[in-house]
Amino acid sequence: MASYAGELSTEVAPAVRVRSLHRSFNEAGGVLNGLDLDIAPGEFVALLGRSGSGKSTLLRSLAGLDRGVAGTGVIEVPEKVSVVFQDSRLLPWKRVLDNVTLGLRAGDAADRGRQALAEVGLAGREKAWPHELSGGEQQRASLARSLVRDPELLLADEPFGALDALTRIRMHTLLRKLCEVHQPAVLLVTHDVDEAIVLADRVIVLDGGVVRHDARVELDGRRSQADPAFARLRARLLTELGVEDDHDAPGRHLDRAVERAAS
Amino acid sequence: MTTLTGNLSAPTRALAEAEDVRPTRRRLGPGEPIRFGGLIGIAALLLAWVVGSATGVLDPRTLTEPWTVVQTAGTLIENGRLQESLVTSGIRAALGLGLGVLVGTVLALVSGLSRIGESFIDGPIQVKRSIPTLALIPLLILWLGIGEPMKVITIALAVFVPIYIHTHNGLRTIEGRYAELAETLGVTRGEFVRHVVLPGAMPGFLLGLRFAVTSSLLALVVVEVINATSGIGHMITLASNYGQTDIIVVGLVVYALLGVTADAVVRLIERKALSWRRTLAS
Ligand SMILES: Nc1ncnc2c1ncn2[C@@H]1O[C@H](COP(=O)(O)OP(=O)(O)OP(=O)(O)O)[C@@H](O)[C@H]1O
Ligand SMILES: [Mg+2]
């Protein structure tokens, strides 16, 4: 299974191809130092790394938002790229539907926007102002805004970072469902190792300005933290991140949240 | 469960009997707003005027009695002088305000959206801002004569500065993250201006508009009192020559009404245009 996916990604032209990418903000040293990365079409990649390791820098360079940052290298991305920011970044002076369809030039933009809002469970809220939505709803609206453009590549920088644990679990389910339907390649930056394993086909760890670790997630079906394979991968990734995982706090915390959600 | 439905079906009894025990804190804010609170002070002043005139504390030569003012206003309306003056002054103010708002907005947009525009426009306006517009009147009279154009342009000059300053400031404080978002959505420059820049600068523009309305009325009064052959200011100047305080007071009341109406209109526009905003007031 794993080898098959590996072969596939070399056969088909990758959606994202990054070669020897260098980026630096000052003379002292580079943030990215010759990074190579391929992402296959429809592949979900989670990007982990310590704070300040350059995750956002990489994401912004893929999004074409790092004008003025010194650096070299080759970046090939598809034509249709959507970005989901940590803050939902809805324009406060536009109603939710107008936010979703902003910049859409198709004739049926409003219909598609309405459909996208329904997909993220916001049917009936088209006319609401952004400030009338909860944090989770705002983030779902911003997901709808990204997906309505049928992106070939979805870039997300800690999209659920500001949400509470329960909302976050719901968002995971939603995002997985949406990705199955729309099949974009995804690069998701996260601090949460469990989130990375639950969502991604592949988890990469950024360190020292290069991809230090590249792990395919070979867990089938419903990914459960109770699965020993899950725990093994989690421990390995935490080690890569330089964290000693002896107290197991985040896992327990999440388990409790799941129990509460189930009850 | 039964007691609950009982409570619901007899709300008045429930209200009287229901316990309401809650911890309270000493209120530090001003508390609930008073209905029509803004009118109470005005009513008190009017009352003082009526009482003062009736008891003879206020000399009619200093300040005419309110009823005489009402009577004079009636006469002025009957012979058409008041309406005529009001229309003349109103058109003057509106033309000056319109011209000033247009020029101020366009300059603010050019200066806010392009660095070159800013380097050419912003400096001179900051200089203009430090010269009171009214000090320019002698020069404007030399250039334009004492006719209508001079008056309208004086008003426009007083108006465009606050419009420019606040709109420009509004443009510049639109958060960069919204521009970044617009870039990722692939919108054109025109769409960016229409959907992000203009609505984002709207609060600043409307604040500027409120200042501009006040400035326009100030300039209106000055140009009309300095020299005019028509308008409310002309009416007041004439009355002043003949010591007719009643007509002067009527003129002042009309100015006040103009100002209050204009401010109310701006606030209405503000409420409509900024309904997306959640402020402390709501
Ligand atoms: N605009 C900037 N100017 C100067 N230095 C910057 C800038 N943006 C990022 N950096 C530096 O580049 C490094 C990487 O930053 P980046 O934001 O990519 O980290 P990150 O991995 O996203 O961190 P976090 O997980 O905390 O978001 C940091 O050391 C940061 O200080
Ligand atoms: Mg970051």
Side-chain angles (χ1 to χ4, degrees):
Chain A
M1 179 75 196
S3 63
Y4 174 68
E7 274 162 31
L8 196 74
S9 64
T10 50
E11 273 170 26
V12 183
V16 175
R17 203 173 79 93
V18 178
R19 288 291 174 272
S20 59
L21 187 67
H22 291 260
R23 288 287 185 271
S24 60
F25 290 99
N26 48 40
E27 310 292 293
V31 173
L32 302 179
N33 301 305
L35 179 138
D36 294 325
L37 177 65
D38 281 337
I39 300 178
E43 190 179 31
F44 197 131
V45 177
L47 175 57
L48 289 171
R50 298 171 213 222
S51 182
S53 57
K55 304 183 295 295
S56 298
T57 307
L58 171 61
L59 202 89
R60 292 175 62 82
S61 69
L62 293 186
L65 290 174
D66 64 346
R67 209 183 301 114
V69 180
T72 56
V74 178
I75 300 176
E76 287 167 17
V77 290
E79 196 179 325
K80 287 192 279 184
V81 181
S82 280
V83 184
V84 180
F85 298 93
Q86 180 170 5
D87 58 316
S88 60
R89 226 167 270 206
L90 301 170
L91 296 175
W93 48 80
K94 290 219 170 282
R95 295 182 189 270
V96 170
L97 181 62
D98 295 329
N99 260 293
V100 168
T101 57
L102 183 67
L104 266 194
R105 268 174 285 273
D108 58 343
D111 285 336
R112 285 174 53 191
R114 234 168 261 137
Q115 195 189 331
L117 278 172
E119 265 187 293
V120 299
L122 284 178
R125 306 301 299 273
E126 293 87 357
K127 287 254 168 298
W129 295 112
H131 74 71
E132 293 169 344
L133 301 184
S134 74
E137 288 170 337
Q138 292 181 8
Q139 203 53 290
R140 279 190 268 155
S142 97
L143 260 183
R145 178 181 58 199
S146 295
L147 291 173
V148 79
R149 279 144 236 276
D150 278 326
E152 295 155 273
L153 173 63
L154 184 68
L155 299 169
D157 196 347
E158 299 181 44
F160 312 133
L163 303 181
D164 65 279
L166 292 183
T167 311
R168 206 185 258 233
I169 294 169
R170 296 214 180 87
M171 293 294 282
H172 291 165
T173 318
L174 176 66
L175 183 61
R176 268 217 327 230
K177 214 178 69 201
L178 291 173
C179 286
E180 269 161 33
V181 175
H182 294 266
Q183 290 285 321
V186 182
L187 184 62
L188 170 93
V189 170
T190 174
H191 275 126
D192 185 340
V193 176
D194 297 278
E195 177 171 287
I197 303 174
V198 166
L199 289 175
D201 304 322
R202 203 175 128 205
V203 181
I204 60 179
V205 178
L206 195 61
D207 188 25
V210 293
V211 175
R212 173 58 44 89
H213 190 80
D214 194 334
R216 201 152 277 288
V217 182
E218 283 149 27
L219 301 168
D220 296 323
R222 208 171 158 277
R223 294 176 187 181
S224 150
Q225 267 135 355
D227 189 340
F230 192 114
R232 270 199 305 280
L233 181 57
R234 182 167 182 278
R236 209 170 80 212
L237 289 170
L238 283 172
T239 313
E240 287 296 330
L241 290 165
V243 181
E244 285 301 325
D245 182 31
D246 46 17
H247 57 303
D248 196 42
R252 247 189 308 157
H253 179 73
L254 209 66
D255 284 346
R256 241 184 286 132
V258 174
E259 276 163 28
R260 251 183 286 141
S263 67
Chain B
M1 194 60 213
T2 43
T3 55
L4 186 71
T5 44
N7 275 349
L8 284 175
S9 58
T12 42
R13 224 190 64 212
L15 264 186
E17 285 174 12
E19 268 191 303
D20 183 11
V21 182
R22 54 177 115 172
T24 49
R25 298 244 178 243
R26 196 156 61 90
R27 186 198 287 283
L28 294 177
E32 298 289 312
I34 305 172
R35 275 195 88 192
F36 304 117
L39 297 180
I40 291 176
I42 297 170
L45 270 181
L46 282 179
L47 190 71
W49 186 16
V50 172
V51 171
S53 299
T55 55
V57 176
L58 278 175
D59 188 338
R61 280 166 300 174
T62 316
L63 191 59
T64 324
E65 299 96 333
W67 40 93
T68 319
V69 170
V70 173
Q71 217 174 352
T72 312
T75 323
L76 285 172
I77 291 175
E78 248 166 57
N79 63 24
R81 252 181 87 197
L82 189 62
Q83 295 93 308
E84 197 183 303
S85 306
L86 182 61
V87 167
T88 314
S89 294
I91 290 179
R92 235 170 238 160
L95 280 180
L97 188 64
L99 186 63
V101 167
L102 187 72
V103 171
T105 310
V106 169
L107 287 180
L109 281 180
V110 173
S111 155
L113 290 177
S114 88
R115 292 289 173 191
I116 299 176
E118 183 174 33
S119 3
F120 275 97
I121 292 170
D122 201 51
I125 290 185
Q126 297 300 338
V127 173
K128 158 70 190 69
R129 185 184 171 189
S130 56
I131 309 172
T133 304
L134 307 180
L136 294 175
I137 290 181
L139 197 58
L140 289 171
I141 290 180
L142 277 184
W143 287 351
L144 301 166
I146 55 166
E148 264 337 89
M150 182 278 285
K151 297 192 183 80
V152 169
I153 288 191
T154 306
I155 296 171
L157 278 175
V159 161
F160 96 97
V161 174
I163 292 282
Y164 172 86
I165 303 269
H166 289 101
T167 310
H168 185 246
N169 192 38
L171 280 172
R172 276 287 137 96
T173 49
I174 294 175
E175 289 177 62
R177 58 201 190 101
Y178 292 136
E180 204 174 86
L181 168 76
E183 283 169 20
T184 68
L185 296 182
V187 303
T188 63
R189 199 167 172 85
E191 287 172 322
F192 175 61
V193 169
R194 209 172 80 223
H195 297 299
V196 180
V197 172
L198 290 181
M202 197 48 121
F205 169 79
L206 288 171
L207 180 65
L209 191 57
R210 287 185 74 175
F211 283 109
V213 165
T214 314
S215 305
S216 74
L217 289 175
L218 180 69
L220 173 74
V221 172
V222 173
V223 292
E224 288 195 340
V225 171
I226 283 183
N227 67 68
T229 51
S230 58
I232 302 285
H234 175 62
M235 196 180 83
I236 291 179
T237 317
L238 272 188
S240 166
N241 291 341
Y242 299 112
Q244 298 163 310
T245 35
D246 51 343
I247 297 190
I248 297 183
V249 173
V250 171
L252 292 181
V253 169
V254 172
Y255 273 143
L257 288 180
L258 268 183
V260 170
T261 315
D263 201 55
V265 170
V266 176
R267 268 198 275 183
L268 186 74
I269 298 175
E270 209 163 38
R271 220 181 12 256
K272 285 263 181 286
L274 301 185
S275 50
W276 52 270
R277 253 185 162 193
R278 189 176 43 179
T279 55
L280 288 176
S282 58

